[in-house]
């Protein structure tokens, strides 16, 4: 579970019925059904959470830390995503929600929304120096992985600035509690991919985040104490930072002319395809968030994304703006280069890959083209590639199997029709 | 290997499919990202031209481990003044096409910029033939 192959998105084999719903929605064709269970191809998974969202049996899940994980630290700092604020009824203020976090076991809080303000400023300053766009936001880890896997030619368009989560964790470790080793920083997350990047970070060598806890796991504990939490000033984030919870929030925070905001992994792919074709030369910035309506649509949330967004929009009208100096001069730039991923290559050897590709094209011609999913692959084409690679037999296609059975049956009839020479009267005539 | 596609001159919503397919194939083969981009930009532009001006036609991509050669052939009206068409910003696209966001110049100079070798043959009534070659591992996308 550790190392480069760690993914937050995993399968609960008990619950999986092998129904093939997830394989169709996966944007990177990273799932196959084998032996009646879904199987995730690690090298292709971008942790976008689409499969978690569509699985009718709740069998796709994200691995994250339990709330009890905070107990191993004396100082337990929650860094909540602004999405948390949209999960509860309108009459609970941000101050009270943050107060509730302190009641359920955390000893301190630093808002990711506050860090998002810094990241906004850093991003705007990077773009103003870096020249013409379009520049792509690196805030969504699934989008960054999508670029690495499917659009590596666009990696040099990524804004090389750490995420608000990482920035918040650094502020806690470097400014609020410098030099301490009894401090645990926990991201309160709407997002499965954030779990993955807290272990295998993007653009930095190691993450300052100690654990990631799902919003849906703190939802009930917070709800239970919320009515008893008094209003007191804790929140410091402004509208600019809070807006990062939903699509268009980051673009608004950057205030750049000609920005595109796109939410939902499939529409993002459309925008990146166009960008790779050389379109959108006059666009300065692309904000892309993999989940519907942005982070509020994350797979680890409870509330409907559009309701949550409306609530956060309302909160943005009552900004706190209670800034402190501990956030100055925090390093926000990437320290390592993001590499292309080879997950979609058919073989490390190009000539061999070409042979596989050609064979797959020939196999594809012979398939029904119904993309029925019975073989466990998302499309006939993906299946043809799997067969050409030698991962699976052609008869895993139910139509191919039927064809073979028919041929076999015809052969049987043919064999049956041949009589032993002594009994064969079919050519018998008077000439004998 | 050779990939062949028909490009429709009627349904512009399908324009770009052939270049998307070629791009996908290059990804499967592990062609360098910069070369994928150069090819994508050049072929997409040529495909859109063929759909808008050429009335559709045939696209062929021949790939080996060193290069890709794309041939685009249509039987459309052809280009009467090639020198003019090779100038930046020149366009003959109709109002309807421009409203769809296409046709701001034929992009021939852009195709040439992204290709390592570029060949065009066109005359009125005879259609247009384009040949674009991109060598792998050579230079950055423009």
């Amino acid at each position: 579970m550790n190392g480069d192959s760690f993914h937050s998105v995993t399968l609960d084999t008990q619950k999986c019925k092998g129904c093939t719903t997830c394989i169709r929605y996966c944007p990177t064709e990273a799932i196959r059904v084998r032996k009646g269970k879904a199987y995730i191809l690690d090298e292709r998974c971008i942790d976008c959470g689409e499969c978690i969202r569509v699985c009718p049996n709740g069998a796709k899940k994200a691995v994250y830390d339990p709330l009890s994980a905070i107990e191993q630290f004396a100082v337990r700092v929650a860094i909540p995503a602004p999405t948390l604020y949209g999960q509860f009824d309108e009459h609970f203020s941000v101050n009270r929600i943050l107060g509730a976090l302190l009641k359920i076991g955390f000893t301190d809080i630093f808002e990711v929304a506050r860090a998002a303000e810094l990241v906004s400023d850093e991003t705007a300053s990077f773009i103003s120096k870096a020249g013409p766009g379009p520049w792509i936001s690196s805030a969504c880890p699934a989008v960054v992985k999508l670029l690495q896997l499917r659009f590596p030619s666009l990696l040099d368009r990524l804004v090389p600035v750490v995420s608000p989560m990482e920035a918040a964790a650094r502020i806690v470790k470097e400014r609020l509690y410098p030099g301490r080793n009894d401090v645990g920083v926990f991201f309160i997350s709407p997002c499965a991919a954030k779990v993955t990047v807290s272990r295998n970070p993007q653009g930095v060598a190691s993450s300052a985040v100690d654990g990631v806890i799902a919003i849906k796991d703190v939802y009930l504990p917070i709800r239970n104490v919320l009515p008893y939490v008094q209003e007191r000033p804790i929140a410091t984030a402004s509208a600019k930072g809070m807006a990062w919870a939903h699509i268009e929030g980051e673009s608004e925070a950057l205030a750049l002319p000609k920005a595109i905001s796109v939410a939902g992994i499939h529409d993002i792919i459309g925008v990146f395809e166009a960008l790779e074709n050389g379109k959108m030369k006059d666009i300065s910035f692309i904000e892309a968030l993999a989940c519907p309506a942005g982070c509020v649509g994350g797979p680890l949330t409870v509330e409907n994304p559009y309701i949550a967004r409306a609530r956060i929009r309302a909160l943005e009208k009552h900004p706190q703006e209670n800034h402190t100096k501990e956030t100055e001069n925090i390093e926000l730039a990437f320290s390592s280069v993001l590499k292309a991923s080879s997950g979609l290559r058919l073989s490390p050897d190009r000539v061999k890959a070409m042979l596989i590709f050609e064979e797959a094209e020939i196999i594809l011609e012979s398939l029904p083209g119904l993309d029925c999913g019975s073989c466990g692959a998302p499309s006939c084409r993906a299946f043809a590639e799997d067969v050409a690679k030698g991962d699976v037999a052609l008869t895993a296609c139910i139509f191919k199997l039927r064809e073979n059975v028919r041929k076999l049956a015809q052969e049987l009839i043919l064999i049956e029709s041949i009589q032993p020479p002594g009994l064969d009267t079919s050519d018998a005539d008077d000439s004998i | 290997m050779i990939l062949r596609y028909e490009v429709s001159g009627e349904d512009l919503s399908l324009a770009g499919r052939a270049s998307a397919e070629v791009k996908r194939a290059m990804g499967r083969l592990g062609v360098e990202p910069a070369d994928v981009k150069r090819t994508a930009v050049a072929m997409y532009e040529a495909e859109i031209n063929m759909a808008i001006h050429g009335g559709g036609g045939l696209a062929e991509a021949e790939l080996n481990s060193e290069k890709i050669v794309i041939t685009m052939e249509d039987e459309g009206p052809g280009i009467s003044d090639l020198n003019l068409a090779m100038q930046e910003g020149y366009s003959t696209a109709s109002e309807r096409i421009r409203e769809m966001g296409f046709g701001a110049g034929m992009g021939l100079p852009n195709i040439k910029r992204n290709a390592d070798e570029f060949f065009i043959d066109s005359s009125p009534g005879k259609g247009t033939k384009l040949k674009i070659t991109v060598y792998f591992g050579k230079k950055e996308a423009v």
Side-chain angles (χ1 to χ4, degrees):
Chain A
M1 294 288 278
N2 284 309
D4 280 348
S5 66
F6 171 81
H7 281 283
S8 172
V9 176
T10 49
L11 183 80
D12 185 336
T13 46
Q14 298 287 315
K15 289 185 181 166
C16 179
K17 291 182 179 169
C19 74
T20 74
T21 301
C22 58
I23 61 175
R24 292 159 200 272
Y25 287 90
C26 175
T28 57
E29 297 185 335
I31 313 172
R32 300 291 183 273
V33 176
R34 301 258 192 270
K35 294 180 180 162
K37 302 284 175 196
Y39 171 76
I40 301 172
L41 306 168
D42 277 340
E43 70 277 13
R44 289 193 179 184
C45 175
I46 58 169
D47 285 297
C48 67
E50 277 298 295
C51 55
I52 298 178
R53 216 170 274 124
V54 299
C55 177
N57 306 305
K60 280 284 166 53
K61 57 178 188 180
V63 173
Y64 43 82
D65 297 300
L67 185 53
S68 60
I70 69 175
E71 288 160 15
Q72 53 184 309
F73 295 92
V75 179
R76 307 182 281 270
V77 186
I79 52 168
T83 294
L84 181 71
Y85 313 153
Q87 304 295 304
F88 305 96
D89 200 90
E90 284 84 349
H91 70 267
F92 295 116
S93 67
V94 175
N95 277 330
R96 287 179 76 189
I97 294 166
L98 297 177
L101 279 173
L102 294 174
K103 269 217 174 359
I104 65 168
F106 291 97
T107 61
D108 202 351
I109 283 160
F110 189 85
E111 292 173 88
V112 171
R114 176 74 189 100
E117 296 165 22
L118 304 184
V119 174
S120 306
D121 295 342
E122 181 79 9
T123 302
S125 124
F126 168 81
I127 292 174
S128 72
K129 286 180 210 139
W135 294 98
I136 303 169
S137 167
S138 55
C140 176
V143 167
V144 174
K145 285 198 169 196
L146 177 73
L147 289 173
Q148 289 179 291
L149 184 77
R150 235 181 113 163
F151 302 97
S153 78
L154 302 178
L155 278 173
D156 59 0
R157 298 272 104 204
L158 259 185
V159 174
V161 173
V162 301
S163 69
M165 170 187 85
E166 199 55 50
R170 283 184 185 183
I171 292 164
V172 173
K173 291 248 165 111
E174 293 171 24
R175 295 296 146 83
L176 303 183
Y177 299 94
R180 298 268 295 264
N181 56 14
D182 56 348
V183 180
V185 178
F186 291 88
F187 181 53
I188 311 299
S189 178
C191 172
K194 286 286 190 201
V195 184
T196 308
V197 296
S198 74
R199 303 190 192 190
N200 298 313
Q202 296 169 331
V204 293
S206 67
S207 172
V209 177
D210 295 296
V212 176
I213 296 169
I215 283 181
K216 62 179 185 174
D217 274 11
V218 292
Y219 179 80
L220 264 187
I222 291 179
R223 222 180 106 120
N224 290 338
V225 299
L226 256 180
Y228 315 104
V229 177
Q230 301 292 318
E231 173 77 31
R232 67 185 173 97
I234 305 172
T236 60
S238 70
K240 186 167 136 183
M242 262 193 264
W244 275 64
H246 54 76
I247 192 66
E248 291 180 354
E250 187 187 356
S251 299
E252 283 167 20
L254 292 181
L256 288 167
K258 293 224 170 194
I260 286 181
S261 301
V262 53
I265 197 79
H266 297 283
D267 284 332
I268 290 171
I269 289 171
V271 168
F272 287 167
E273 286 282 359
L275 186 57
E276 205 169 43
N277 289 340
K279 285 181 137 188
M280 299 190 283
K281 283 202 161 52
D282 57 337
I283 298 295
S284 58
F285 182 67
I286 297 174
E287 173 195 5
L289 296 171
C291 293
C295 303
V296 285
L300 307 185
T301 58
V302 175
E303 189 53 276
N304 173 286
Y306 296 91
I307 295 172
R309 177 169 68 173
R311 285 179 183 156
I312 290 171
R313 280 281 193 211
L315 290 169
E316 287 162 26
K317 297 195 176 100
H318 309 285
Q320 301 294 327
E321 308 269 12
N322 182 15
H323 294 165
T324 45
K325 287 210 168 174
E326 67 244 358
T327 56
E328 281 170 10
N329 300 322
I330 282 282
E331 180 58 56
L332 297 172
F334 275 6
S335 56
S336 61
V337 177
L338 283 162
K339 289 203 185 88
S341 140
S342 60
L344 294 176
R345 288 176 75 163
L346 295 172
S347 163
D349 177 75
R350 196 178 293 165
V351 176
K352 205 175 161 202
M354 215 172 278
L355 293 173
I356 296 172
F357 189 95
E358 285 181 298
E359 201 192 327
E361 292 282 296
I362 295 165
I363 295 167
L364 182 61
E365 289 277 303
S366 77
L367 296 174
L370 296 174
D371 296 343
C372 72
S374 304
C375 61
S379 64
C380 288
R381 183 177 223 179
F383 174 69
E385 283 184 357
D386 289 352
V387 175
K389 276 197 284 185
D391 293 349
V392 65
L394 188 58
T395 45
C397 170
I398 194 102
F399 297 92
K400 279 284 162 193
L401 184 71
R402 241 169 49 159
E403 220 175 271
N404 279 12
V405 170
R406 188 184 300 129
K407 262 189 220 150
L408 205 62
Q410 281 163 350
E411 272 171 41
L412 282 177
I413 290 166
L414 191 73
I415 293 166
E416 188 271 344
S417 69
I418 301 169
Q419 298 284 343
L423 297 175
D424 189 357
T425 56
S426 62
D427 277 342
D429 57 31
D430 303 336
S431 66
I432 298 174
Chain B
M1 63 187 216
I2 299 177
L3 306 167
R4 288 189 183 86
Y5 308 95
E6 261 178 58
V7 176
S8 166
E10 275 147 32
D11 188 349
L12 273 179
S13 71
L14 299 176
R17 288 267 175 101
S19 42
E21 288 294 317
V22 169
K23 197 158 77 174
R24 180 185 167 279
M26 292 171 91
R28 291 292 194 268
L29 304 185
V31 173
E32 289 78 1
D35 298 328
V36 175
K37 182 145 201 324
R38 287 202 292 140
T39 310
V41 170
M43 185 174 174
Y44 177 76
E45 197 89 60
E47 187 180 349
I48 297 296
N49 280 343
M50 199 153 92
I52 294 173
H53 306 283
L58 287 171
E60 193 181 281
E62 192 178 350
L63 259 152
N64 63 33
S65 53
E66 283 115 45
K67 65 170 194 269
I68 182 166
V69 183
I70 294 156
T71 315
M72 315 278 286
E73 215 167 346
D74 67 55
E75 291 174 359
I79 302 166
S80 54
D81 190 339
L82 258 180
N83 285 331
L84 194 59
M86 288 303 292
Q87 282 172 24
E88 300 278 355
Y90 174 75
S91 177
T92 58
S94 69
E95 194 63 29
R96 187 179 71 88
I97 302 279
R98 283 171 203 246
E99 275 168 10
M100 293 175 75
F102 297 116
M106 255 198 290
L108 292 179
N110 195 28
I111 299 176
K112 196 177 172 186
R113 263 200 306 276
N114 280 284
D116 290 316
E117 284 164 21
F118 174 74
F119 165 84
I120 182 163
D121 182 24
S122 182
S123 55
K126 212 185 78 181
T128 303
K129 184 177 177 177
L130 234 80
K131 204 168 151 188
I132 301 158
T133 306
V134 171
Y135 291 95
F136 302 150
K138 285 275 165 86
K139 63 177 186 186
E140 294 293 303
V142 185

